[in-house]
Amino acid sequence: MQELHDAPLAPLTTFRLGGPATRLVTATTDDEVIAAVRAADEAGTPLLIIGGGSNLVIGDKGFDGTALRIATRGFALDGTDLTLAAGENWSDAVARTVEAGLAGVECLAGIPGSAGATPIQNVGAYGQEVSATITEVVAYDRRAGETVTIPNEECGFSYRHSRFKEHPDRFVVLRVRFALEDAGGLSAPLKYPETARALGVEAGDRVPAAVARKTVLALRAGKGMVLDADDHDTWSAGSFFTNPILTEAEHAVFLRRVQDRLGPDTAPPAFPAGEGLVKTSAAWLIDRAGFTKGYGTGPARISTKHTLALTNRGGATTEDLLALAREVRDGVHAAFGVTLVNEPVTVGVSL
């Protein structure tokens, strides 16, 4: 277990932002993870868990406590059952499942970060969410002081949310188990219209899983959503805001605001989100509120490829980023009465 003091955290995040941690511990086994967590808890020291760093916004002052970087490794495939260590690179793991001819996570290709973060956020994209394939999560329960196995139905999964996100100081994910599908090398039925269009098929069709993965990677790259150190559009946390979910009454008010602003024939995106709920598009709201691709004049700007990504153009501070995020959030609310919620986790700062 490696230990550093006054350690920079910015290089451990995809934003490349944030100040140092008082202490940085890198753990490569589950036992080391548990030992580091217990030591911090027993000493009453604040603890920050870092995986791939793709969903973190760390304040410029850094973190006064112990930052624990989980660097565990483990990819175990037993038939269609997959177990991943929390520190495994998620995108690499997806590639390996596709190479094995299995379906279920191929449309989650290219998402940065670690496997252990996927159940926390209920990571999803292009018509798939990890909650559809996760069978159980093995975690260290800081409250009970023991390792627990939590089945899918007890994880509290919903859109970009879970029991782990709801109680961020309780569980430390150690391993994640998935049930994939052997469809003879084909993908799961395609659910996302953009993916189906790009493949020239209908929603519900299957295609070779490798082709689905390659297509999703191309779609993500076109939006600056595949990490590239030379491309500042990828110096981000991907989608900065979640898609708003509105009640039917809120949606009716929202539609009136849209039509007043953009005309009676304007129809914003709308998707069923459960009984009495409608999901709309954060990217659509941002763009229609006047925050177009490349918006901004400072070192933090909206991506030139996708309005939902806020980016560090090099030399930005976390405060630069947050100032832009607040401007976008407040502008969307003023235009449409909808409050956007940040998807990345903030550390030592808030919107």
Side-chain angles (χ1 to χ4, degrees):
M1 190 157 55
Q2 183 187 66
E3 181 176 330
L4 298 172
H5 294 270
D6 196 28
L9 295 181
L12 302 182
T13 74
T14 53
F15 264 126
R16 294 167 170 80
L17 295 176
T22 305
R23 178 172 173 260
L24 172 65
V25 174
T26 299
T28 58
T29 68
D30 289 353
D31 286 343
E32 288 181 353
V33 171
I34 293 170
V37 174
R38 282 179 171 164
D41 288 347
E42 289 170 2
T45 302
L47 181 67
L48 171 64
I49 306 296
I50 300 178
S54 59
N55 202 42
L56 281 179
V57 177
I58 299 173
D60 293 316
K61 293 182 179 179
F63 183 71
D64 186 11
T66 296
L68 171 59
R69 179 171 172 258
I70 297 181
T72 54
R73 293 291 179 267
F75 178 103
L77 199 55
D78 181 10
T80 57
D81 294 330
L82 172 67
T83 300
L84 295 177
E88 277 289 327
N89 179 283
W90 172 253
S91 190
D92 290 348
V94 171
R96 293 177 69 178
T97 67
V98 171
E99 288 169 4
L102 299 178
V105 294
E106 63 280 356
C107 291
L108 302 178
I111 293 177
S114 62
T118 60
I120 297 171
Q121 196 74 4
N122 186 18
V123 164
Y126 295 97
Q128 290 182 343
E129 287 184 332
V130 292
S131 57
T133 50
I134 288 176
T135 57
E136 57 188 24
V137 176
V138 180
Y140 177 68
D141 184 341
R142 297 168 67 183
R143 184 184 302 172
E146 62 184 15
T147 300
V148 296
T149 299
I150 304 172
N152 178 292
E153 58 270 20
E154 295 179 15
C155 290
F157 288 127
S158 60
Y159 173 65
R160 301 298 173 269
H161 195 70
S162 70
R163 179 182 183 185
F164 312 104
K165 187 174 181 179
E166 186 174 354
H167 303 287
D169 296 325
R170 179 171 179 181
F171 298 104
V172 179
V173 175
L174 302 174
R175 299 193 172 263
V176 189
R177 298 193 175 112
F178 302 81
L180 303 178
E181 178 189 5
D182 184 350
L186 296 179
S187 69
L190 298 171
K191 296 181 179 180
Y192 201 69
E194 184 182 11
T195 315
R197 284 195 302 270
L199 287 160
V201 300
E202 299 294 324
D205 287 350
R206 294 177 185 261
V207 298
V211 174
R213 173 180 174 271
K214 183 178 179 180
T215 300
V216 166
L217 286 173
L219 290 171
R220 291 184 62 85
K223 300 173 183 178
M225 298 291 188
V226 177
L227 294 181
D228 180 349
D230 295 325
D231 182 0
H232 283 286
D233 278 326
T234 75
W235 289 31
S236 75
S239 300
F240 194 88
F241 296 105
T242 58
N243 290 323
I245 295 179
L246 309 174
T247 65
E248 290 179 350
E250 290 170 339
H251 187 245
V253 173
F254 166 59
L255 287 178
R256 288 196 293 271
R257 294 283 293 266
V258 168
Q259 290 164 2
D260 287 346
R261 181 181 177 90
L262 302 175
D265 297 327
T266 305
F271 310 94
E275 187 175 353
L277 298 173
V278 180
K279 180 168 66 175
T280 191
S281 166
W284 188 93
L285 289 167
I286 292 167
D287 183 73
R288 298 312 190 278
F291 302 100
T292 53
K293 295 174 185 176
Y295 178 87
T297 57
R301 303 180 197 175
I302 291 177
S303 166
T304 66
K305 298 183 178 74
H306 199 286
T307 53
L308 201 47
L310 308 187
T311 67
N312 171 11
R313 310 312 294 187
T317 65
T318 301
E319 276 306 310
D320 292 330
L321 175 76
L322 293 176
L324 175 62
R326 293 177 187 124
E327 182 182 3
V328 172
R329 178 200 60 190
D330 295 347
V332 166
H333 187 269
F336 301 112
V338 175
T339 301
L340 296 179
V341 177
N342 54 291
E343 185 169 333
V345 175
T346 55
V347 178
V349 292
S350 66
L351 288 191

